[in-house]
Amino acid sequence: MSNQSLSFIHDSLPQKIRFGFGEASANLLEEVRTRNAQSVMVIAGEPEMPIAKQVASEIEVAVWHSDVVMHVPIETAQAAREVAVDNQVDLLVCVGGGSTTGLAKAVALETGIPIVAVPTTYAGSEATNVWGLTEEKRKTTGVDIKVLPETVIYDSKLTLSLPVEMSVASGLNGMAHCVDSLWAPKADPINAALAGEGIRALSAGLPKIVEDSQSIEGRDEALYGAYLSAVSFASAGSGLHHKICHVLGGTFNLPHAQTHATILPYVLAFNAPYAPGAEQRMAAAFGTQTGLEGLQQLREKVNAPARLSDYGFSADGIPEAVSIVLEKVPANNPREVTEENFTQLLTAALNGDDPAILSN
Ligand code: NAD
């Protein structure tokens, strides 16, 4: 019998969650009333604006802002901050995916204005206190409680229009939060429990969405899983997977969700043999022998993104990516990351090779 004791420090983030199919506008009205907000700024990218108009149909909106760009370029952030200050905004409402939430966070970071987030993808940014900004091709991230949305309104009706391909990529982005949080710097039993349930919910929900994009059950499960994934990630911090994806997104401008979806099996195959606790948790959540087997079965069912070359990455980018990532590898990563084995990982992900080759 093992006689090891448990010892860890876990931070829980203060946030209200309102979850309900078709309930977003009523929930937003309730938030605006309780806060007595006088000047609301709604942030939504142009494509999400119709959803935002519907969500905000019951409240008075002082300013609509639609200049949203993925990975939050600093100029876009500055422009949005000026709009907020000029309009004496006292509540930010963001309706959209991680790019939209990211812009609201950039405004909150400088102004301290509270956010109510209404997510329409599975990126999970709404449940973290992590902000990201991109300046001169480098993405910087940081942690600040000011950027944590005070309330999140989840309504899976708003996700019915998310195209199946994007739903799959985004859902696997959520899955990556779960998996990476099992070996991230502040991995602990609480976020491992959340991650396990997140893996289960996402792997149950995504195939239902692929079968029928209007499946309410599938959409609800995926959104619930995405929330759990983000809570576990916020608590555990960025592991190897996130360090890699931030470099690929920031320096090579690769699309966020698709990059996460593509890289995940390679990082899982690379780390899992060196992380038995994580391996056990993933296998149990997928209901398979190993985490890799579960993830690959799911990826096949949902026709997941398979190679980085499909998203604009090429072999001549590998040396630069390797050198930047090697500086950022978390000290507690279960497996030593070297120039040689990491080049092998990126090359395999570039070409869509079998991830199992990394498990030795
Ligand atoms: P995104 O917000 O750019 O959305 C992806 C695409 O889906 C866009 O074309 C968008 O218009 C469209 N879309 C969104 N919702 C839709 C809907 N309901 N119906 C139809 N189309 C819809 O991408 P994302 O993957 O959600 O977010 C990526 C960004 O979020 C990246 O910048 C990433 O760094 C950031 N992020 C941050 C954190 C964090 O904790 N700070 C966590 C995850 C992601």
Side-chain angles (χ1 to χ4, degrees):
M1 195 169 70
S2 160
N3 210 12
Q4 267 190 335
S5 66
L6 276 180
S7 173
F8 60 88
I9 297 172
H10 179 88
D11 284 318
S12 295
L13 295 174
Q15 189 174 58
K16 180 185 284 184
I17 304 302
R18 293 176 179 269
F19 199 113
F21 185 87
E23 295 172 12
S25 48
N27 277 330
L28 181 59
L29 175 63
E30 187 62 23
E31 280 295 319
V32 170
R33 273 200 189 139
T34 348
R35 292 161 180 281
N36 194 21
Q38 300 297 313
S39 180
V40 177
M41 174 169 171
V42 175
I43 301 179
E46 214 54 75
E48 285 98 279
M49 208 34 111
I51 301 178
K53 295 264 175 186
Q54 191 192 318
V55 171
S57 57
E58 296 186 35
I59 63 162
E60 201 173 307
V61 176
V63 53
W64 300 90
H65 189 82
S66 64
D67 183 15
V68 172
V69 181
M70 190 181 277
H71 302 313
V72 200
I74 188 84
E75 305 74 26
T76 313
Q78 295 290 20
R81 287 166 184 162
E82 278 167 32
V83 173
V85 171
D86 291 350
N87 287 278
Q88 296 178 315
V89 167
D90 59 359
L91 182 65
L92 299 165
V93 174
C94 52
V95 184
S99 301
T100 307
T101 314
L103 182 59
K105 285 177 160 185
V107 176
L109 182 66
E110 289 289 311
T111 61
I113 303 170
I115 305 174
V116 170
V118 188
T120 63
T121 70
Y122 309 120
S125 175
E126 67 281 355
T128 83
N129 53 355
V130 180
W131 54 264
L133 285 166
T134 303
E135 194 168 8
E136 290 173 5
K137 281 178 64 189
R138 287 284 169 111
K139 186 165 182 178
T140 313
T141 58
V143 170
D144 195 313
I145 193 70
K146 284 205 293 290
V147 309
L148 177 76
E150 288 186 0
T151 298
V152 183
I153 296 175
Y154 284 110
D155 178 349
S156 63
K157 192 173 184 186
L158 310 177
T159 65
L160 293 177
S161 56
L162 189 65
V164 166
E165 238 176 78
M166 188 63 213
S167 302
V168 166
S170 190
L172 290 172
N173 181 190
M175 182 69 79
H177 290 139
C178 297
V179 170
D180 213 28
S181 71
L182 296 172
W183 43 59
K186 293 192 334 185
D188 71 34
I190 296 176
N191 43 50
L194 294 167
E197 173 65 355
I199 291 172
R200 188 209 58 75
L202 284 163
S203 60
L206 292 179
K208 291 177 191 156
I209 294 170
V210 171
E211 211 168 283
D212 171 11
S213 69
Q214 304 302 296
S215 162
I216 296 173
E217 198 183 322
R219 293 288 183 182
D220 267 351
E221 276 172 319
L223 206 52
Y224 162 67
Y227 166 69
L228 295 178
S229 81
V231 177
S232 60
F233 165 61
S235 163
S238 278
L240 178 64
H241 174 90
H242 278 78
K243 297 294 180 191
I244 298 170
C245 292
H246 277 152
V247 170
L248 294 173
T251 307
F252 299 91
N253 202 26
L254 302 194
H256 181 85
Q258 292 84 348
T259 305
H260 276 266
T262 308
I263 287 284
L264 181 61
Y266 297 97
V267 176
L268 195 163
F270 181 87
N271 266 350
Y274 296 75
E279 175 65 293
Q280 223 175 15
R281 176 77 66 173
M282 292 185 289
F286 281 118
T288 46
Q289 290 285 319
T290 66
L292 186 60
E293 191 187 324
L295 179 65
Q296 293 299 72
Q297 282 179 7
L298 171 67
R299 286 173 50 81
E300 204 178 316
K301 272 191 222 159
V302 300
N303 193 18
R307 54 192 77 77
L308 289 180
S309 59
D310 291 342
Y311 300 103
F313 191 62
S314 56
D316 50 355
I318 290 180
E320 188 184 0
V322 169
S323 81
I324 305 174
V325 170
L326 282 179
E327 286 167 23
K328 295 174 184 267
V329 175
N332 75 323
N333 192 62
R335 178 171 180 181
E336 190 190 357
V337 183
T338 64
E339 189 177 332
E340 193 189 350
N341 64 23
F342 187 55
T343 300
Q344 192 194 10
L345 187 159
L346 268 190
T347 308
L350 172 73
N351 300 322
D353 297 337
D354 183 356
I357 58 169
L358 301 166
S359 293
N360 306 311

